[in-house]
């Protein structure tokens, strides 16, 4: 390790903070479940991308940039995608047709997360490329399923290959769900072919008008969980260091990934550390497509849908990082304004100074389970020089070298006037006070001609 900082991370497997010990410090291996590419990604989907990007940057710092492998998959096996591929490109081989459907969404996702300051992962494998056995011999889904059947962990019933959760004595180790809870709600007639209601699909038959891949069990398509077991093994091996994703993936997705991988490879673990980010919420509810309470990354960056204006990528990124990654975030205009004001303050202090050395105490703060609150507190400290501040921003993906401030006073003034018109004095005063704290004094007056309220401002320091 190049720094003295000792990395500690909260491990969902043990529900405790642990010292991170890589299997091989010359190749630290991280896998994060990526997006399903059928539509624009929303800002909630951006949270794992940003959180694990910070972890990736920290690991590169601690172990060396060439000694970290970061895999974030692309889920392009999905019934909605498949159906569209078959409808729109019936004459193409299935993988090619799917590519045509998912390519624009995939490209958009790359642009979105790049605008949010995320480094590209080392590998971004697509699920469709790992369904059938591969020429390069990398792990594929069909071979994994075959070995699960061969070792008695999976069985065929009613056109499905199912994982038998009773064949694994410690199934449920990650989510720690009581078995009766796993059974509740699953006792419905269509599930009667399962040995246990908790058994889950590895493969299912496709009817002639459904898309499918050839397999030893006829034409069909894989279940959702098996793709991550295949792609993680393909690039990171049977056992690797860190597996990440959002809280919602703990059960069933990650639980089932563990079951498949451990039983197929005969290993005691799949990954040694499991990390989960909390939800990004709107008024207390998880942002999601199905709730309809979402705003896409693209809309935030390029349109005026949220708060009546566009938001720069670094503002969205900081707004995400101001809360500890395991805590929920309530996504609001106010939060974005706070992030914007903070960046403007830092930029004024940096004032074009060249980037200096990254202070070791910052690396130490971050090494405590990505404690960014302490990190930002240190950045705000009086002792932080302009060039160290520039380095500190850059390390977490926030460029502070821009000379002019990004604080768009005119838009703040306009919004404050709108609040005044609505007689929302509290919000109007908040904006005034926030600007004052940034060294910008607002002055209210009247237009002599029209008698309308006009607001001017001056920089007080
Ligand atoms: P999906 O495309 O829904 O499979 O989600 C991709 C990633 O985003 C997964 O790691 C999810 O756990 C995560 N995710 C989805 N919605 C949210 C949210 N509202 N807040 C935080 N993470 C989320
Ligand atoms: Zn996954």
């Amino acid at each position: 390790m190049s720094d003295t900082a000792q990395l500690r991370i909260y491990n969902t497997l043990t529900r405790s903070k642990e010292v991170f010990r890589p299997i091989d410090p010359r190749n630290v291996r991280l896998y994060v479940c990526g997006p399903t590419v059928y539509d624009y990604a929303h800002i909630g989907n951006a949270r794992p991308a940003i959180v694990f990007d910070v972890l990736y940057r920290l690991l590169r710092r601690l172990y060396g940039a060439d000694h970290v492998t970061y895999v974030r998959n692309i889920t392009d096996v999905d019934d909605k995608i498949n159906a569209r591929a078959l409808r729109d490109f019936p004459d193409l081989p299935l993988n090619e047709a799917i590519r045509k459907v998912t390519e624009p969404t995939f490209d958009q996702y790359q642009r979105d997360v790049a605008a949010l300051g995320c480094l590209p992962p080392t590998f971004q494998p697509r699920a469709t490329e790992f369904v059938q056995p591969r020429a390069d011999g990398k792990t594929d889904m069909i071979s994994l399923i075959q070995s699960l059947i061969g070792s008695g962990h999976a069985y065929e019933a009613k056109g499905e290959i199912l994982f038998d959760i009773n064949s694994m004595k410690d199934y449920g180790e990650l989510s720690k769900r009581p078995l009766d809870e796993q059974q509740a709600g699953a006792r419905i007639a269509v599930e009667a072919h399962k040995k246990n209601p908790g058994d889950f699909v590895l493969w299912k038959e496709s009817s002639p008008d459904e898309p499918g891949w050839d397999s030893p069990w006829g034409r069909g398509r894989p279940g959702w969980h098996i793709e991550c077991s295949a792609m993680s093994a393909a690039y990171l091996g049977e056992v690797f260091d860190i597996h990440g994703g959002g809280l919602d993936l703990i059960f069933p997705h990650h639980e089932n990934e563990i079951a498949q991988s451990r039983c197929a490879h005969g290993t005691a673990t799949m990954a040694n550390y499991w990390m989960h980010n909390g939800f990004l919420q709107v008024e207390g509810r998880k942002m999601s497509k199905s709730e309809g309470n979402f705003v896409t990354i693209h809309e935030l960056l390029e349109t005026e849908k949220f708060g009546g204006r566009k938001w720069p990528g670094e503002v969205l990124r900081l707004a995400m990082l101001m809360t500890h990654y395991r805590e929920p975030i309530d996504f609001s205009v106010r939060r974005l304004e706070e992030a914007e004001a903070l960046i403007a303050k830092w930029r004024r202090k940096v004032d074009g100074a060249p980037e200096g050395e990254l202070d070791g105490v910052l690396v130490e703060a971050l090494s405590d389970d990505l404690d960014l609150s302490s990190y930002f507190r240190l950045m705000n400290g009086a002792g932080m020089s302009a060039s160290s501040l520039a380095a500190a921003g850059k390390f977490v993906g926030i460029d502070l070298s821009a000379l002019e401030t990004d604080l768009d006073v005119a838009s703040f003034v306009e919004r404050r006037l709108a609040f005044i018109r609505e007689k929302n004095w509290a919000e109007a005063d908040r904006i005034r006070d926030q600007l004052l704290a940034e060294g910008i004094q607002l002055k209210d007056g009247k237009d002599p001609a029209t008698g309308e309220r006009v607001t001017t401002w001056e920089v007080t320091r």
Side-chain angles (χ1 to χ4, degrees):
M1 297 217 300
S2 56
D3 273 282
T4 47
Q6 193 175 43
L7 176 58
R8 276 150 294 144
I9 55 189
Y10 182 86
N11 189 353
T12 307
L13 258 182
T14 57
R15 305 286 194 272
S16 64
K17 220 190 265 186
E18 295 175 12
V19 171
F20 176 65
R21 293 200 172 81
I23 298 164
D24 175 4
R26 286 158 309 159
N27 185 17
V28 179
R29 289 163 284 161
L30 166 67
Y31 185 92
V32 175
C33 298
T36 308
V37 283
Y38 67 94
D39 212 342
Y40 287 104
H42 62 65
I43 190 70
N45 298 133
R47 194 170 185 193
I50 294 173
V51 163
F52 292 104
D53 177 68
V54 171
L55 177 67
Y56 179 45
R57 288 165 184 265
L58 177 60
L59 290 171
R60 284 161 61 102
R61 165 87 189 189
L62 296 176
Y63 295 94
D66 298 336
H67 299 293
V68 184
T69 307
Y70 173 22
V71 178
R72 187 180 63 209
N73 73 293
I74 300 290
T75 297
D76 58 356
V77 175
D78 174 275
D79 278 357
K80 281 189 288 275
I81 298 173
N82 292 353
R84 262 185 57 195
L86 195 69
R87 186 195 68 194
D88 296 349
F89 306 98
D91 302 327
L92 289 182
L94 183 57
N95 279 6
E96 267 175 55
I98 288 176
R99 250 308 157 119
K100 288 243 190 251
V101 171
T102 57
E103 202 70 63
T105 318
F106 172 79
D107 290 346
Q108 183 65 44
Y109 183 76
Q110 302 305 319
R111 283 197 295 274
D112 286 349
V113 293
L116 298 176
C118 299
L119 303 172
T122 324
F123 299 105
Q124 294 196 73
R126 295 157 195 263
T128 42
E129 307 291 332
F130 289 82
V131 177
Q132 292 174 316
R134 296 165 55 93
D136 64 7
K138 282 193 163 66
T139 313
D140 65 275
M141 301 181 217
I142 288 177
S143 305
L144 274 183
I145 297 170
Q146 275 181 307
S147 76
L148 288 170
I149 296 174
S151 55
H153 291 290
Y155 61 96
E156 189 168 2
K158 273 188 104 177
E160 290 181 346
I161 308 292
L162 294 154
F163 186 91
D164 180 355
I165 63 169
N166 278 337
S167 74
M168 185 189 186
K169 76 171 185 322
D170 49 359
Y171 178 80
E173 60 167 350
L174 182 70
S175 60
K176 303 184 181 15
R177 285 160 61 102
L179 199 64
D180 51 352
E181 205 178 298
Q182 286 167 31
Q183 291 174 346
R187 278 186 225 103
I188 36 179
V190 289
E191 307 275 272
H193 63 298
K194 294 185 178 179
K195 289 188 192 171
N196 184 303
D199 293 354
F200 57 90
V201 172
L202 299 170
W203 187 265
K204 61 181 166 226
E205 198 174 75
S206 292
S207 63
D209 56 346
E210 278 172 336
W213 288 265
D214 289 329
S215 81
W217 321 286
R219 223 174 122 268
R221 54 206 193 278
W224 169 33
H225 316 302
I226 195 74
E227 60 174 83
C228 289
S229 286
M231 288 182 277
S232 61
Y235 288 98
L236 303 177
E238 295 178 352
V239 183
F240 53 95
D241 297 299
I242 306 174
H243 192 315
L247 263 186
D248 51 338
L249 299 185
I250 295 177
F251 188 89
H253 186 53
H254 288 168
E255 195 70 81
N256 293 348
E257 277 187 37
I258 291 176
Q260 296 162 161
S261 294
R262 284 186 47 197
C263 292
H265 306 307
T267 51
T269 37
M270 176 183 184
N272 288 330
Y273 304 85
W274 289 77
M275 294 175 74
H276 294 96
N277 64 268
F279 293 141
L280 182 135
Q281 305 179 329
V282 183
E283 284 160 6
R285 301 175 82 95
K286 179 192 167 199
M287 181 180 282
S288 73
K289 285 263 152 77
S290 54
E291 287 270 348
N293 61 349
F294 65 94
V295 53
T296 65
I297 305 168
H298 174 73
E299 285 168 337
L300 288 161
L301 291 168
E302 302 295 342
T303 77
E304 294 174 1
K305 183 179 168 185
F306 194 78
R309 52 165 292 196
K310 295 179 187 177
W311 298 96
E314 68 269 19
V315 170
L316 299 170
R317 183 176 175 94
L318 180 59
M320 202 73 87
L321 295 178
M322 287 188 319
T323 297
H324 192 273
Y325 78 90
R326 286 191 276 122
E327 300 293 325
I329 288 181
D330 215 55
F331 195 69
S332 64
V333 171
R334 184 179 189 143
R335 166 181 285 267
L336 296 181
E337 286 172 355
E338 275 170 31
E340 182 161 59
L342 193 52
I343 289 176
K345 187 177 100 179
W346 287 335
R347 283 190 174 155
R348 270 200 303 281
K349 177 153 181 192
V350 169
D351 196 21
E355 192 194 314
E357 282 292 305
L358 182 68
D359 197 326
V361 291
L362 288 160
V363 180
E364 241 166 76
L366 209 54
S367 298
D368 182 13
D369 196 31
L370 306 184
D371 182 1
L372 281 151
S373 302
S374 299
Y375 189 94
F376 295 141
R377 213 172 304 124
L378 288 164
M379 280 176 75
N380 283 326
M384 181 73 40
S385 71
S387 52
S388 315
L389 187 61
K394 184 167 179 197
F395 185 58
V396 291
I398 296 169
D399 180 10
L400 300 178
S401 67
L403 268 180
E404 77 280 21
T405 116
D406 254 8
L407 197 67
D408 179 359
V409 181
S411 83
F412 276 93
V413 168
E414 238 169 71
R415 271 211 307 291
R416 177 167 169 270
L417 286 175
F419 282 129
I420 290 173
R421 282 193 294 275
E422 294 165 10
K423 301 204 180 349
N424 186 345
W425 311 114
E427 282 299 300
D429 288 351
R430 188 182 59 76
I431 290 179
R432 188 198 55 208
D433 295 346
Q434 189 188 334
L435 288 174
L436 192 60
E438 294 306 316
I440 293 160
Q441 169 113 52
L442 297 188
K443 292 207 156 83
D444 291 321
K446 266 199 175 107
D447 183 321
T450 63
E452 263 178 44
R453 178 192 287 261
V454 285
T455 301
T456 55
W457 65 87
E458 64 186 39
V459 178
T460 58
R461 60 178 149 82

Tab-separated table of all heavy atoms in Angstrom, residues 15 172-178 182 250-251 255:
chain	number	residue	atom	x	y	z
A	15	ARG	N	-22.544	-7.475	9.130
A	15	ARG	CA	-23.189	-6.307	9.752
A	15	ARG	C	-22.208	-5.550	10.651
A	15	ARG	O	-22.574	-5.075	11.720
A	15	ARG	CB	-24.414	-6.721	10.591
A	15	ARG	CG	-25.473	-7.531	9.853
A	15	ARG	CD	-26.276	-6.669	8.895
A	15	ARG	NE	-27.495	-7.336	8.423
A	15	ARG	CZ	-27.569	-8.131	7.350
A	15	ARG	NH1	-26.487	-8.382	6.625
A	15	ARG	NH2	-28.718	-8.663	6.982
A	172	GLY	N	-29.220	-17.832	2.657
A	172	GLY	CA	-29.808	-16.734	3.434
A	172	GLY	C	-28.798	-16.017	4.310
A	172	GLY	O	-29.158	-15.153	5.102
A	173	GLU	N	-27.502	-16.330	4.169
A	173	GLU	CA	-26.487	-15.761	5.069
A	173	GLU	C	-26.356	-14.243	4.928
A	173	GLU	O	-25.996	-13.554	5.866
A	173	GLU	CB	-25.120	-16.415	4.820
A	173	GLU	CG	-24.650	-16.200	3.382
A	173	GLU	CD	-23.183	-16.540	3.122
A	173	GLU	OE1	-22.425	-16.777	4.071
A	173	GLU	OE2	-22.810	-16.548	1.933
A	174	LEU	N	-26.647	-13.721	3.750
A	174	LEU	CA	-26.472	-12.272	3.538
A	174	LEU	C	-27.671	-11.487	4.071
A	174	LEU	O	-27.531	-10.555	4.844
A	174	LEU	CB	-26.274	-11.984	2.049
A	174	LEU	CG	-26.035	-10.510	1.692
A	174	LEU	CD1	-24.662	-10.041	2.171
A	174	LEU	CD2	-26.158	-10.275	0.188
A	175	SER	N	-28.863	-11.884	3.644
A	175	SER	CA	-30.054	-11.119	4.033
A	175	SER	C	-30.551	-11.513	5.413
A	175	SER	O	-31.284	-10.763	6.042
A	175	SER	CB	-31.152	-11.312	2.996
A	175	SER	OG	-31.498	-12.669	2.893
A	176	LYS	N	-30.135	-12.701	5.884
A	176	LYS	CA	-30.551	-13.208	7.198
A	176	LYS	C	-32.066	-13.169	7.370
A	176	LYS	O	-32.573	-12.821	8.427
A	176	LYS	CB	-29.852	-12.422	8.322
A	176	LYS	CG	-28.327	-12.485	8.190
A	176	LYS	CD	-27.625	-11.807	9.316
A	176	LYS	CE	-26.106	-11.799	9.257
A	176	LYS	NZ	-25.429	-12.118	8.014
A	177	ARG	N	-32.754	-13.497	6.296
A	177	ARG	CA	-34.214	-13.554	6.387
A	177	ARG	C	-34.632	-14.882	6.979
A	177	ARG	O	-34.118	-15.921	6.599
A	177	ARG	CB	-34.825	-13.435	4.981
A	177	ARG	CG	-34.774	-12.048	4.411
A	177	ARG	CD	-34.932	-12.090	2.924
A	177	ARG	NE	-36.206	-12.665	2.518
A	177	ARG	CZ	-37.246	-11.944	2.109
A	177	ARG	NH1	-37.165	-10.649	2.053
A	177	ARG	NH2	-38.353	-12.528	1.738
A	178	PRO	N	-35.575	-14.849	7.920
A	178	PRO	CA	-36.055	-16.120	8.460
A	178	PRO	C	-36.737	-16.928	7.356
A	178	PRO	O	-37.358	-16.354	6.452
A	178	PRO	CB	-37.060	-15.709	9.532
A	178	PRO	CG	-37.335	-14.264	9.318
A	178	PRO	CD	-36.253	-13.691	8.468
A	182	GLN	N	-39.300	-16.267	3.865
A	182	GLN	CA	-39.017	-16.611	2.471
A	182	GLN	C	-40.180	-17.389	1.861
A	182	GLN	O	-40.400	-17.365	0.670
A	182	GLN	CB	-37.764	-17.482	2.384
A	182	GLN	CG	-36.497	-16.690	2.628
A	182	GLN	CD	-35.320	-17.610	2.858
A	182	GLN	OE1	-35.278	-18.700	2.322
A	182	GLN	NE2	-34.372	-17.178	3.658
A	250	ILE	N	-29.952	-6.647	-1.896
A	250	ILE	CA	-29.514	-7.654	-0.914
A	250	ILE	C	-30.353	-8.929	-1.049
A	250	ILE	O	-29.827	-10.030	-1.141
A	250	ILE	CB	-29.605	-7.104	0.531
A	250	ILE	CG1	-28.628	-5.939	0.718
A	250	ILE	CG2	-29.314	-8.218	1.538
A	250	ILE	CD1	-28.707	-5.292	2.090
A	251	PHE	N	-31.665	-8.736	-1.081
A	251	PHE	CA	-32.554	-9.878	-1.314
A	251	PHE	C	-33.557	-9.517	-2.392
A	251	PHE	O	-34.139	-8.442	-2.338
A	251	PHE	CB	-33.297	-10.276	-0.025
A	251	PHE	CG	-34.049	-11.558	-0.197
A	251	PHE	CD1	-33.436	-12.777	0.057
A	251	PHE	CD2	-35.358	-11.544	-0.673
A	251	PHE	CE1	-34.119	-13.960	-0.150
A	251	PHE	CE2	-36.037	-12.736	-0.888
A	251	PHE	CZ	-35.417	-13.943	-0.626
A	255	GLU	N	-28.368	-12.398	-2.542
A	255	GLU	CA	-28.482	-13.686	-1.854
A	255	GLU	C	-28.380	-14.832	-2.867
A	255	GLU	O	-27.689	-15.828	-2.643
A	255	GLU	CB	-29.841	-13.747	-1.149
A	255	GLU	CG	-29.958	-14.838	-0.131
A	255	GLU	CD	-29.102	-14.554	1.102
A	255	GLU	OE1	-29.529	-13.778	1.981
A	255	GLU	OE2	-28.004	-15.146	1.170
